Amino acid sequence: MAKRRTVFMAVVFILALILGYSNKGVISFRLFKPQLEELHTIITPAANDRQTFNAMKKLPIDGWPPELNVVQDPATLGDPSGYTFVTLTLTIKNTNYMKMKNLYIDLDPVLANKNQIILYTRDAQYIEVSPFGSSSSLNFNVLLKTNSPDQDEALQILSYSHLYLRWDGDHSTTIDFPEKASFYNYERGTVMEILSWAIGMILFILSALHIYWICGGRWGAAGAIPSRGGEPLFRPSAVSTGVVAILLALAAWLVLELEAIKPVLFPEALLWIGGWLLGAVFTLRAIGDFRWVGFFKKEKGTVFARLDSRFYSPLCLFLGVSILLIMVWG
């Protein structure tokens, strides 16, 4: 019992180190993303503020403040009648348990509307949002090329762009306008992200099950090992079970970094190699060794064999094929 307790504590300690190194808000904010609670828009025709518009045209590019991003050179702009100033006030709700610091909004114009976005400025204030559902507002200003100073046209242009909320230097999430939701519900990237989360959670559950066995739990243990004549082919030690638990947790985290979360633990090369390797390992496990495990095993009459045919092998096939799909399409 003392040995099991020691192994259990070692596994928990190693997992805590892994999560502590990789977290820094990433795990929590990926599980509970900040929400756009309210969006308030002020539309001002550039013709109504010719002084500001003309001052922008005269200012050299290297004279702009660092929080202002220039997409097109304002010096090339013509008459202000074809342009609109938009001020967005976004109220962000912090749904997590960690404080968000130094918030700002960033914009990534897609190719379709790149010619319509002239410049934008981020809120340069050091905003902090307390955890547990607290909210805070920040401003985002943009100059658009429009056919008319109409709010619907301005929001349509922005809704086809990628609007990012960034905080703490390296954390970010996408803020979708309400109008954007219907266009991107079935985007391939979204499907791959959901698939990545599903695989990651399954692998984390399997890791937790192995930790449960280390602690002396017996549920599911009898059918987890191939057997012959009523006797298991081998009896895994607490140490080997702990190693499997850690490997499953690492595999879960790797799959999440492939598509669902920002890579912070695995370098890009290791992600690529690990993704293909994991997909191959689970797929080969489903095929089996043609004797004890897999769809083509010869041993059919044991408890393990029945569970393997009904659950283990199909699950491994799902995991393997899904990971390979993420590698190909993600």
Side-chain angles (χ1 to χ4, degrees), residues 8-312:
F8 170 74
M9 294 301 295
V11 171
V12 172
F13 178 73
I14 293 172
L15 291 177
L17 284 178
I18 294 170
L19 298 181
Y21 168 78
S22 58
N23 186 4
K24 299 178 182 178
V26 176
I27 296 175
S28 56
F29 278 113
R30 285 296 182 174
L31 289 173
F32 307 100
K33 294 182 178 181
Q35 297 175 355
L36 176 59
E37 194 171 46
E38 184 180 357
L39 172 64
H40 183 63
T41 310
I42 298 176
I43 302 292
T44 306
N48 291 3
D49 193 356
R50 291 177 178 269
Q51 185 176 357
T52 300
F53 185 81
N54 292 329
M56 286 182 174
K57 294 174 62 175
K58 295 176 182 178
L59 191 66
I61 293 294
D62 55 4
W64 291 105
E67 67 271 11
L68 195 143
N69 297 269
V70 179
V71 181
Q72 297 186 46
D73 185 357
T76 63
L77 304 182
D79 187 85
S81 59
Y83 299 90
T84 303
F85 289 112
V86 181
T87 299
L88 303 175
T89 301
L90 298 94
T91 301
I92 304 298
K93 183 177 181 180
N94 183 2
T95 59
N96 213 278
Y97 58 86
M98 300 186 69
K99 180 183 291 186
M100 300 171 66
K101 297 179 292 184
N102 302 341
L103 273 72
Y104 67 89
I105 292 291
D106 209 351
L107 180 70
D108 180 18
V110 296
L111 188 61
N113 66 347
K114 205 158 192 173
N115 293 329
Q116 293 174 289
I117 296 176
I118 310 303
L119 55 85
Y120 60 94
T121 180
R122 307 182 297 224
D123 193 324
Q125 301 177 27
Y126 292 101
I127 299 173
E128 292 190 1
V129 188
S130 299
F132 305 114
S134 299
S135 301
S136 185
S137 297
L138 62 160
N139 294 322
F140 179 79
N141 303 292
V142 59
L143 175 62
L144 299 175
K145 180 177 176 58
T146 56
N147 296 319
S148 62
D150 178 77
Q151 177 164 317
D152 290 338
E153 182 184 359
L155 284 179
Q156 184 178 21
I157 293 171
L158 291 173
S159 71
Y160 281 100
S161 301
H162 301 293
L163 193 63
Y164 296 105
L165 173 68
R166 303 184 187 277
W167 66 96
D168 293 345
D170 59 354
H171 302 313
S172 66
T173 189
T174 303
I175 297 295
D176 290 335
F177 286 90
E179 293 82 358
K180 183 177 179 181
S182 61
F183 299 120
Y184 289 91
N185 278 346
Y186 302 103
E187 193 178 47
R188 178 188 295 164
T190 303
V191 174
M192 291 298 107
E193 181 178 351
I194 293 173
L195 193 59
S196 180
W197 274 115
I199 298 169
M201 292 304 101
I202 290 172
L203 293 175
F204 274 129
I205 291 171
L206 294 177
S207 176
L209 182 60
H210 282 73
I211 295 175
Y212 164 76
W213 289 333
I214 294 173
C215 297
R218 304 312 307 160
W219 181 86
I225 303 297
S227 61
R228 176 174 52 191
E231 290 295 322
L233 293 182
F234 59 92
R235 298 184 183 276
S237 65
V239 173
S240 61
T241 305
V243 170
V244 173
I246 293 172
L247 291 177
L248 285 170
L250 287 172
W253 188 257
L254 186 145
V255 173
L256 290 180
E257 287 198 1
L258 285 175
E259 196 66 27
I261 66 175
K262 180 180 179 179
V264 290
L265 183 61
F266 296 99
E268 184 177 351
L270 191 56
L271 272 178
W272 188 85
I273 295 172
W276 285 109
L277 185 61
L278 273 179
V281 166
F282 281 115
T283 303
L284 290 174
R285 165 59 182 84
I287 296 172
D289 64 352
F290 299 97
R291 184 175 182 185
W292 302 107
V293 300
F295 286 116
F296 302 102
K297 59 183 171 293
K298 293 180 180 178
E299 185 65 40
K300 300 288 187 181
T302 64
V303 174
F304 171 84
R306 290 192 292 272
L307 290 173
D308 184 56
S309 296
R310 294 177 184 175
F311 302 109
Y312 304 158

